[in-house]
Amino acid sequence: MKFDSNQILTRIGKKKVSDFIESANIINSNESVSKILGNLIKIKNYSVYFKNGNKITAVNLRDILSARDVKSQKLNSIAKSTPIIEEDSNIASAAGLMSLYRLRSLPVIEDGEVIGQITTKSIVKAMDHKDIKIKSTKIMTANPVSIHWNDLVLTAKNLMIRHRIDHVPIIEENLKGIITSFDIAKILLTADNLNNVHLGITEHTRPLEFPVKGIADRNATTSSIDHSVAHVIQLLNANNSTYSLVTLGNEIQGIITHRDIISLLGEKVEEDVPAYIIGLPDDPFASELAKTKFNTLVKFLTKTMPDIEEARCRIRLSTVRGKTKKYEIEVSIFTPTNRYSYRNEGSDLATIFDQMKDSLKNKLTQKNQKHVKK
């Protein structure tokens, strides 16, 4: 019996977290950042957990990049509370949390204690099915943040922290390579060993103040805009990679990471039309506001576009200056024949969605008037 993509994804999403539990790094909060960083690099893991009162706290590689001094700084100075999941929950719930909070792993809890973790990598492995025929361009992040060949590693690190990403393509007219948070973490750990002249490091070089070309991966994982999600999943699993750069010729069109793939299993926010929202703010009030506004927008659109098959919303925090946040919102609407994308940005989520609704209302009104005149 053949199943369509949605049926396959639904079946995967219903699987239990208990079938995916991996061992987790439970550590002492008083450990130094450098010691934990060394441990993560050694075992090729991304996150560690420890208990802070009744809360479970996590530190990942990207958090470590923000540390002022990896040698002397204690782990609890950069740790953050993390969402948790129970082993009898389903994979769709775990995928939704990781997509919304931009995480690669979640601690699995039993009686308030961490008994393991679930990772995006393990979920993506379970999604390896040839009949997921969704186009990869449907889930990719278009026009990803990038840098140039001679830009500093420090610049790449700051971009990762600011945009909450782990992969930055390197472009010099065409694709030259990629730098990841893991690449930078290894340099932070070995910053005292400045004997790697071939990297562009000398005894006078400050940590990370050398060109990215010194540590770039020149054999970046790539896929074509014509490839399906199934192909990308197979590619990532075969290469043990966490990303694929989507290209047209040698030009980058977008990037797909594990988080983008598992978003296909994520949380629905509207019952009548399949509608998903990715990148919700950490603040609970802002998160609920965004969900409500997106629901309202989808309901409005279905009244004028009854053939909508699916709606997706991606929220990005583009800049943070002091306490002022700037959001970029992209809404994609899928019909049987077309994909419509709408973008807006600003510092107030409610205003952004309201402006987007007014703009769409005007466009649809003009479209209907043209049809009437004909």
Side-chain angles (χ1 to χ4, degrees), residues 79-353:
K80 299 174 182 176
S81 294
T82 183
I84 58 175
I85 195 84
E86 295 181 345
E87 60 178 338
D88 62 348
S89 299
N90 60 38
I91 292 302
S93 297
L97 284 171
M98 286 190 274
S99 293
L100 297 179
Y101 288 95
R102 301 187 64 80
L103 299 171
R104 285 198 199 178
S105 63
L106 282 177
V108 182
I109 304 299
E110 183 179 15
D111 297 327
E113 301 295 331
V114 179
I115 61 171
Q117 67 174 351
I118 182 171
T119 65
T120 55
K121 183 178 180 179
S122 64
I123 296 176
V124 171
K125 281 186 176 181
M127 295 175 69
D128 191 347
H129 198 295
K130 61 183 176 63
D131 289 326
I132 300 180
K133 300 186 182 299
I134 300 167
K135 281 279 191 181
S136 62
T137 50
K138 188 174 178 181
I139 63 168
M140 76 177 187
T141 299
N143 303 314
V145 174
S146 62
I147 53 176
H148 295 294
W149 200 231
N150 288 311
D151 286 341
L152 299 181
V153 176
L154 180 63
T155 302
K157 184 196 82 164
N158 291 337
L159 286 172
M160 290 178 188
I161 294 170
R162 186 185 316 151
H163 294 280
R164 298 198 298 165
I165 56 179
D166 291 289
H167 312 85
V168 179
I170 303 167
I171 300 174
E172 211 65 51
E173 292 186 0
N174 292 319
L175 174 63
K176 302 293 286 187
I178 193 166
I179 185 170
T180 69
S181 57
F182 195 79
D183 298 326
I184 298 176
K186 287 189 289 186
I187 293 297
L188 286 175
L189 189 64
T190 59
D192 279 344
N193 300 323
L194 300 179
N195 58 349
N196 295 310
V197 179
H198 68 284
L199 298 182
I201 306 175
T202 71
E203 60 182 354
H204 304 296
T205 304
R206 296 176 62 187
L208 307 188
E209 292 192 357
F210 61 94
V212 295
K213 63 183 178 184
I215 61 171
D217 181 355
R218 300 173 189 234
N219 296 308
T221 303
T222 62
S223 54
S224 165
I225 60 170
D226 298 322
H227 284 144
S228 67
V229 170
H231 176 89
V232 174
I233 290 172
Q234 291 172 355
L235 178 68
L236 299 193
N237 290 339
N239 292 355
N240 194 29
S241 177
T242 56
Y243 73 92
S244 174
L245 298 176
V246 183
T247 60
L248 177 61
N250 201 30
E251 293 184 359
I252 295 180
Q253 305 299 306
I255 186 171
I256 295 173
T257 67
H258 281 167
R259 284 192 300 269
D260 296 313
I261 294 171
I262 68 168
S263 70
L264 292 168
L265 306 174
E267 176 184 2
K268 282 189 180 181
V269 294
E270 170 66 37
E271 290 300 324
D272 297 330
V273 173
Y276 303 87
I277 189 165
I278 301 171
L280 285 173
D282 293 338
D283 177 70
F285 176 78
S287 176
E288 288 303 316
L289 176 65
K291 285 183 184 179
T292 302
K293 288 291 185 180
F294 181 48
N295 270 328
T296 301
L297 179 62
V298 172
K299 288 178 180 178
F300 163 73
L301 291 174
T302 54
K303 292 179 181 178
T304 51
M305 300 172 66
D307 59 342
I308 291 178
E309 291 186 335
E310 185 177 311
R312 289 186 177 271
C313 175
R314 184 186 292 273
I315 302 174
R316 296 188 184 91
L317 184 61
S318 59
T319 59
V320 179
R321 295 180 180 176
K323 294 185 178 180
T324 302
K325 299 180 180 180
K326 185 177 179 182
Y327 298 98
E328 294 177 354
I329 297 179
E330 179 180 3
V331 171
S332 296
I333 306 298
F334 300 90
T335 69
T337 56
N338 290 298
R339 170 183 174 175
Y340 302 91
S341 293
Y342 308 95
R343 295 179 178 85
N344 202 354
E345 62 180 33
S347 57
D348 183 76
L349 280 173
T351 301
I352 297 171
F353 276 106

